[in-house]
Amino acid sequence: MRREVTLEEISDGRLYDANDMVKADCQDCKGCHDCCTGMGDSVLLDPYDVCRLSRGLRKIPEELIGSVLELGISDGNVLPHLAMCGTEEKCVFLNQECFIHEIRPGFCRLFPLGRYYTEDGFKYIIQIHECAKKNRSKIKVKKWIDTPDLRQYEKFVWDWHQFLLDVQEVFYQTEDADLIKNLNMYVLSRFYTKSYEENRDFYEQFYERLEEAKKLLSLGV
């Protein structure tokens, strides 16, 4: 999501790399699930998130979307996000504890960190207004994110971010409602609802689909 704010407004003003230490570890705050409630449609999911949930829950993506996942619009893109439920608007996966912790989405792994994108890539930031807990301890960024093959994952995050920006540019340059609808449905179908083969590397399959989508976009869809 595009946010027209300065770095100082949302963070401590510093940019961090994966090997830096940050005051983010809230594991001593037992029983606190503030970041798992009232999040609305903000916990957006990328294709790796949905693939990881699909494989871990043993359900095809189409079974997840419309039940535990919902669709929303972010800067013109129709994207899945975690569903919130009940009067507390808590995450659908939250009971006494998060029961998908091992396969939780990237947004959850990152929080209270965020990503600050530039033209060349992204750095990590500490979001100073997003978590009220003050007794967080220091932890290395890559340990906090807890994702296998972090370098490959970061490349994927950047490439997916750039692709969504390219799609948004198509939206901004057209008033053709059918084109916008069809492109959104294509992205959802190709990157989310079409399952990734378990016996093949996710990233290999993702980049095959990304290359296909880029060729399609260059032809004007």
Side-chain angles (χ1 to χ4, degrees):
M1 182 178 295
R2 295 182 179 180
R3 301 175 65 181
E4 301 299 328
V5 294
T6 65
L7 183 63
E8 289 71 22
E9 287 180 284
I10 59 176
S11 76
D12 62 359
R14 295 183 58 189
L15 298 175
Y16 299 91
D17 292 313
N19 285 312
D20 288 331
M21 299 292 290
V22 291
K23 204 169 184 179
D25 190 350
C26 61
Q27 294 183 43
D28 290 335
C29 304
K30 299 299 183 182
C32 174
H33 302 295
D34 286 355
C35 57
C36 305
T37 60
M39 298 300 288
D41 60 0
S42 66
V43 188
L44 296 175
L45 307 180
D46 60 39
Y48 184 53
D49 292 330
V50 174
C51 177
R52 184 152 45 183
L53 287 169
S54 175
R55 290 176 176 178
L57 296 172
R58 312 306 303 172
K59 293 181 180 291
I60 63 172
E62 288 182 321
E63 292 180 276
L64 301 177
I65 296 175
S67 56
V68 294
L69 309 182
E70 297 175 343
L71 297 179
I73 298 177
S74 175
D75 295 320
N77 297 108
V78 176
L79 301 171
H81 59 82
L82 289 185
M84 301 289 148
C85 61
T87 56
E88 296 180 344
E89 294 187 357
K90 68 177 184 178
C91 174
V92 69
F93 291 115
L94 178 66
N95 288 329
Q96 294 300 315
E97 299 290 339
C98 171
F99 67 83
I100 59 160
H101 187 76
E102 294 301 317
I103 55 171
R104 66 198 185 281
F107 182 101
C108 306
R109 293 171 183 273
L110 197 59
F111 191 89
L113 302 181
R115 299 188 189 101
Y116 188 81
Y117 291 91
T118 66
E119 292 183 357
D120 303 317
F122 69 83
K123 298 284 188 178
Y124 298 99
I125 61 172
I126 298 178
Q127 302 182 88
I128 58 176
H129 303 301
E130 303 300 327
C131 178
K133 302 304 175 185
K134 304 301 182 183
N135 59 335
R136 298 191 301 267
S137 56
K138 284 193 173 183
I139 189 170
K140 190 170 285 191
V141 170
K142 66 180 181 182
K143 184 176 180 181
W144 181 246
I145 296 174
D146 184 29
T147 291
D149 196 356
L150 184 60
R151 182 170 295 183
Q152 177 70 74
Y153 175 68
E154 289 180 327
K155 181 181 185 304
F156 155 74
V157 167
W158 170 251
D159 289 337
W160 180 244
H161 173 77
Q162 290 299 111
F163 175 69
L164 290 183
L165 290 180
D166 290 340
V167 173
Q168 288 168 22
E169 286 304 314
V170 175
F171 295 158
Y172 296 150
Q173 294 173 15
T174 184
E175 296 181 358
D176 187 335
D178 287 335
L179 172 60
I180 294 173
K181 177 182 177 181
N182 290 338
L183 182 50
N184 265 318
M185 291 304 101
Y186 170 79
V187 171
L188 279 173
S189 172
R190 198 74 184 114
F191 290 100
Y192 287 101
T193 60
K194 180 178 173 59
S195 296
Y196 292 84
E197 298 173 33
E198 287 200 49
N199 61 348
R200 293 183 60 203
D201 178 66
F202 164 81
Y203 297 116
E204 178 184 349
Q205 298 176 74
F206 167 78
Y207 281 105
E208 288 174 356
R209 300 182 190 192
L210 184 64
E211 186 65 27
E212 174 195 276
K214 284 182 175 180
K215 289 180 180 177
L216 186 62
L217 279 175
S218 70
L219 295 174
V221 189

